Amino acid sequence: MVVTTKTEAQTLALGRRLGRLLKGYDVVCLDGDLGSGKTTLTRGLAKGLGSCNRVASPTFALARIYRSPRWLIYHLDLYRVSADQTRDIGLEEFTSDPRGICVVEWPQAGEAYYPKDRLEVRLSHLKCGRKLRFIGKGPRSRAIIRRLGVN
Ligand SMILES: Nc1ncnc2c1ncn2[C@@H]1O[C@H](COP(=O)(O)OP(=O)(O)OP(=O)(O)O)[C@@H](O)[C@H]1O
Ligand SMILES: [Mg+2]
């Protein structure tokens, strides 16, 4: 499924709708160029899950944790992290936490730790706005996309 957003507010709103559909064990990989809206989408997503925490780019922290009434949101940014370095970040614990939802920017280096059934979002720049392509890698993530489409 492809969605285009013309403004930051639209990307936030899309993130909010996506967040409402997520639950524990879900993994969302956000793949896209610098400034394509990964953190913006995550900000909306955390809101949709009911979190009041401030969502900031975890580029230097690698991982940030936000709380929502039911879930923990693990927000990772693996920009410039190599596959070897991912061992110490805690991805294994994050993805095996029943209360945990993982959102990963620049996800390539963590490939070994994600479940097969994960939601991939590929973001790219348009002349005016952003394009977000949603790819479901299994039945759970495809169901999320279906619901997102009819919302
Ligand atoms: N349609 C749009 N959707 C999202 N962001 C937009 C849009 N139009 C403009 N922007 C702007 O683009 C920027 C996107 O930044 P953001 O930090 O979300 O990107 P990112 O993909 O996380 O970048 P990085 O690769 O550095 O982590 C924001 O400043 C936002 O205001
Ligand atoms: Mg970012």
Side-chain angles (χ1 to χ4, degrees):
M1 183 177 74
V2 175
V3 180
T4 61
T5 58
K6 290 204 171 73
T7 60
E8 178 179 356
Q10 287 183 0
T11 302
L12 282 169
L14 179 64
R16 262 200 312 276
R17 280 171 44 211
L18 174 60
R20 289 192 205 111
L21 302 172
L22 299 178
K23 61 180 186 187
Y25 289 126
D26 283 340
V27 173
V28 181
C29 291
L30 304 179
D31 213 345
D33 294 337
L34 281 171
S36 56
K38 301 180 290 298
T39 302
T40 305
L41 190 73
T42 306
R43 194 167 288 141
L45 191 154
K47 266 266 164 57
L49 282 161
S51 175
C52 301
N53 294 145
R54 198 177 74 87
V55 172
S57 173
T59 302
F60 299 103
L62 293 183
R64 283 169 177 274
I65 304 174
Y66 315 119
R67 271 156 226 289
S68 85
R70 286 190 70 181
W71 315 109
L72 292 176
I73 304 155
Y74 299 107
H75 181 199
L76 291 103
D77 187 325
L78 305 182
Y79 186 61
R80 290 202 177 135
V81 172
S82 72
D84 301 346
Q85 293 166 326
T86 52
R87 225 175 326 126
D88 309 320
I89 297 173
L91 260 173
E92 217 157 0
E93 291 96 283
F94 299 160
T95 55
S96 57
D97 177 357
R99 289 184 58 209
I101 292 164
C102 291
V103 182
V104 192
E105 300 188 35
W106 299 99
Q108 289 83 353
E111 213 58 65
Y113 297 95
Y114 309 135
K116 204 169 156 221
D117 190 347
R118 60 183 183 261
L119 178 62
E120 221 175 83
V121 187
R122 297 194 188 147
L123 301 92
S124 52
H125 286 80
L126 296 175
K127 213 186 274 167
C128 178
R130 303 289 187 274
K131 184 169 90 178
L132 300 94
R133 180 183 296 275
F134 291 80
I135 299 160
K137 298 286 195 174
R140 164 68 188 153
S141 43
R142 281 196 284 270
I144 296 169
I145 295 172
R146 231 177 294 123
R147 278 178 224 143
L148 188 64
V150 297
N151 262 337

